[in-house]
Amino acid sequence: WQARSVVTKGVLTKFSDELVASYREAGIVSTGLLFSAEEMVDIRAGLDERIEAATKDGKVRSEDLLNLHFNDTWLLKLASHPRVLDLASQLLESDGLRIFTTRILSKPARTGYAVPWHQDSNYWPLEPLRASSLWLAVDDADAENGAMQTINFTVVPTARTENLPVEQTSAEGGAHFDLNIRSDAIAPYEGHAVTLALRQGEASFHDAWLPHNSPPNLSSRRRCAWIVRYTAASTRLVPGKRALFDDSYDMMRVR
């Protein structure tokens, strides 16, 4: 007997056993519609407001809005939405959850930058290193406007527990991608990359070890995502490995 997905009022509220197994096998799972059109009106407006406020002085790009939830109760509430926590709990097999990081990654039309091939596991000093990232499409995302691409564990099984060889391309920075998978290490698998096309309100969860990237947005449409990284409540931070994650870093308990 297998539990089926539960869809309530058109949105997913529980993964089926089959989808949980698919996540374990591939390292990623799509939710279908996670927030309704009505809910997305408020979510999009709230995120747009914060993007405008954070980028108005030109010092920070809209792709790099990291951890605003620390000082924003609206964002913390969004990251703690019970529907999302229920799904994260299923994938992490943990009733207790923490928020590790949040990010607004909004690629402007025509100028949105590329995100290089990387594994989140290279950046995250967690013990044990088990985390799941929500990627919510605030705008429609497709190949034209820079949707995320993944190379699933079924293609590169060693990536389930190992980091592929990397090169450090810049100095360490909070929201910057400075540990990129080497081109010779990713090249054999790039032909198997999957573009994660999502409609507004749809989402995915992916494993911390999953290789992924996204091309630049050269289209006439913005591509914005709301990203939350969840861990089990028992997961601890190992300070000293990355400057951003020091002894004072708060992995907020949300369940």
Side-chain angles (χ1 to χ4, degrees):
W1 180 86
Q2 288 189 326
R4 296 181 178 180
S5 293
V6 177
V7 177
T8 304
K9 295 183 179 179
V11 297
L12 183 74
T13 56
K14 183 178 181 180
F15 285 123
S16 66
D17 289 348
E18 184 179 12
L19 284 177
V20 172
S22 177
Y23 176 82
R24 303 265 181 271
E25 181 181 16
I28 188 167
V29 65
S30 295
T31 66
L33 194 65
L34 183 59
F35 290 99
S36 69
E38 292 77 14
E39 290 173 315
M40 286 305 302
V41 170
D42 293 335
I43 290 172
R44 195 180 196 278
L47 292 175
D48 285 353
E49 178 183 336
R50 283 149 181 85
I51 292 168
E52 182 179 0
T55 60
K56 63 183 178 181
D57 61 5
K59 294 181 180 179
V60 180
R61 288 185 59 104
S62 60
E63 295 97 335
D64 298 332
L65 305 182
L66 188 67
N67 287 343
L68 300 184
H69 71 285
F70 283 145
N71 300 298
D72 189 317
T73 55
W74 185 88
L75 286 176
L76 179 59
K77 185 177 179 180
L78 179 59
S80 307
H81 194 290
R83 189 183 309 147
V84 177
L85 297 185
D86 286 346
L87 297 175
S89 288
Q90 277 190 272
L91 299 179
L92 291 167
E93 299 177 292
S94 175
D95 292 331
L97 292 175
R98 297 183 186 276
I99 294 173
F100 178 44
T101 70
T102 66
R103 183 177 190 141
I104 303 171
L105 204 166
S106 181
K107 294 186 179 188
R110 299 184 180 87
T111 61
Y113 69 53
V115 174
W117 283 110
H118 68 284
Q119 291 166 279
D120 296 332
S121 49
N122 260 310
Y123 294 89
W124 296 351
L126 299 172
E127 181 62 40
L129 213 170
R130 290 185 64 235
S132 190
S133 297
L134 168 75
W135 200 104
L136 172 67
V138 182
D139 305 315
D140 291 349
D142 52 44
E144 185 181 63
N145 69 346
M148 184 168 69
Q149 298 178 321
T150 68
I151 296 177
N152 297 350
F153 292 154
T154 49
V155 174
V156 53
T158 56
R160 294 177 192 275
T161 56
E162 297 177 11
N163 288 317
L164 299 176
V166 299
E167 56 183 349
Q168 184 151 4
T169 55
S170 63
E172 181 182 336
H176 300 148
F177 294 94
D178 56 87
L179 294 173
N180 304 338
I181 299 175
R182 284 198 338 234
S183 57
D184 63 309
I186 201 69
Y189 310 111
E190 282 191 280
H192 298 279
V194 177
T195 297
L196 191 68
L198 297 172
R199 303 288 289 178
Q200 183 188 70
E202 296 180 341
S204 67
F205 284 86
H206 65 268
D207 189 276
W209 296 89
L210 185 74
H212 58 288
N213 80 343
S214 61
N217 181 10
L218 304 179
S219 78
S220 60
R221 296 175 294 121
R222 188 186 74 164
R223 195 231 70 182
C224 181
W226 166 243
I227 303 167
V228 189
R229 287 74 176 242
Y230 298 98
T231 72
S234 57
T235 297
R236 67 184 186 91
L237 184 71
V238 182
K241 293 185 177 182
R242 297 282 293 182
L244 176 64
F245 305 119
D246 59 18
D247 290 317
S248 65
Y249 189 83
D250 186 8
M251 291 176 59
M252 291 186 174
R253 179 79 181 256
V254 288
R255 173 172 286 186

